Amino acid sequence: MRLSHITWPQAQDYFKENDMVLLSIGSIECHGRHMPLGTDTLIPDHLLEKIEKKSDILIAPTVPYGACQSLAPYPGTIDIDQEVLFQFFRQICLNLYRHGARKFVILNGHGGNMKMIERLGLEFESKGCLFALLNWWLMAWDLNPAWKGGHGGGEETAAILGIDPSLVVKEEIGGPLYFKHLSDNLKTTGFRSVEYKGVNVEIMRSTPEVTDSGWIGPDHPKTATEAWGKEMLESTANYIVDFIEEFKKVKLA
């Protein structure tokens, strides 16, 4: 059931019998030269379509923008300041709380949103609420370790192939991942990490200073297949539906 598709009396009736709502948030940002900017929004939206067919939970409209400061230099990326994003998402949740929501299921498509959601969940706990943060890509890893991936790598590329193969520019999937190292002894290992004498140290850099293409991870995009994406999306959606049913049983103080 979509919040945007029902009337206010229908919403009133829903909250008389239910205290749970599903909110989704993504981002518009670089995911390599081969992937659409809306990857982190397209995937949660697709999962919502599947969830809606199998669950009666009320689904709020997706927030398509997120906090993605390190990726901001890439053309098309829209970075929302963490505090602005927190206050905006907080207002959405406060309104839903006013109407009767007490259990918030947050379907997240972007890692940069996690701190904001965690902060909000702790604030709302004092109001007698519970926040469940569902980061779809991490859940997929747990469901099948073979699906584990990075940013714009095989996992996310497979998901987009499973949604719409035409959105992946396959000719832009190049060779091995190329990292820009700080020095011969400070080797880049990730978005904000370098390795020195076997230890990873975090050094904050914008992504173009780390890698030229914008994708990072152990899972090369060339490993992605449409079949992988479809299976992963279906399994993740089914898990979320099962989780929602279990979460409904939780008694709030």
Side-chain angles (χ1 to χ4, degrees):
M1 183 191 306
R2 301 278 181 162
L3 180 63
S4 57
H5 294 176
I6 63 176
T7 64
W8 73 259
Q10 290 173 315
Q12 183 179 56
D13 290 342
Y14 175 86
F15 284 116
K16 285 179 180 177
E17 303 295 331
N18 303 276
D19 64 355
M20 188 183 298
V21 64
L22 173 58
L23 299 92
S24 181
I25 183 169
S27 71
I28 302 295
E29 64 176 27
C30 163
H31 276 79
R33 300 178 63 90
H34 64 294
M35 290 273 277
L37 291 160
T39 291
D40 286 350
T41 301
L42 290 165
I43 296 171
D45 274 345
H46 186 78
L47 291 171
L48 290 180
E49 291 175 7
K50 293 180 175 294
I51 293 166
E52 185 179 15
K53 296 174 182 177
K54 302 176 182 181
S55 174
D56 61 356
I57 191 171
L58 185 64
I59 302 172
T62 299
V63 176
Y65 303 116
C68 40
Q69 186 178 10
S70 68
L71 293 154
Y74 290 102
T77 296
I78 297 176
D79 169 42
I80 305 300
D81 178 82
Q82 281 278 1
E83 187 61 29
V84 173
L85 186 64
F86 171 79
Q87 293 298 340
F88 178 73
F89 207 68
R90 181 174 182 270
Q91 289 300 312
I92 295 172
C93 294
L94 282 172
N95 277 274
L96 291 167
Y97 174 84
R98 178 185 300 122
H99 302 314
R102 296 296 182 270
K103 295 175 188 171
F104 295 79
V105 179
I106 314 297
L107 176 57
N108 181 36
H110 171 57
N113 298 332
M114 292 168 65
K115 290 182 180 179
M116 176 274 294
I117 299 168
E118 291 167 1
R119 175 183 168 190
L120 199 57
L122 290 173
E123 176 186 329
F124 271 67
E125 182 188 28
S126 66
K127 298 177 181 292
C129 301
L130 283 177
F131 269 52
L133 173 53
L134 307 184
N135 299 303
W136 83 264
W137 70 99
L138 297 179
M139 294 163 55
W141 296 1
D142 288 337
L143 291 171
N144 185 344
W147 295 338
K148 182 176 181 178
H151 175 79
E155 181 186 24
E156 288 190 307
T157 302
I160 294 297
L161 287 172
I163 295 170
D164 183 352
S166 71
L167 295 176
V168 177
V169 184
K170 295 181 180 178
E171 56 268 28
E172 288 282 13
I173 298 176
L177 176 62
Y178 171 73
F179 276 135
K180 299 178 182 179
H181 301 300
L182 281 179
S183 71
D184 291 342
N185 294 321
L186 297 174
K187 301 289 189 181
T188 298
T189 56
F191 266 119
R192 57 185 187 184
S193 61
V194 299
E195 183 269 332
Y196 179 64
K197 293 186 176 180
V199 176
N200 274 315
V201 178
E202 291 197 352
I203 296 179
M204 309 308 150
R205 290 184 287 168
S206 62
T207 305
E209 297 303 316
V210 175
T211 179
D212 56 350
S213 66
W215 78 268
I216 295 177
D219 53 330
H220 198 288
K222 67 183 180 182
T223 63
T225 66
E226 184 177 346
W228 169 9
K230 287 184 178 297
E231 180 186 2
M232 179 170 59
L233 292 167
E234 188 68 25
S235 297
T236 303
N238 288 339
Y239 173 83
I240 293 171
V241 170
D242 286 346
F243 172 82
I244 288 170
E245 291 306 307
E246 190 63 30
F247 198 36
K248 286 180 180 178
K249 301 174 186 177
V250 174
K251 303 295 184 182
L252 297 176

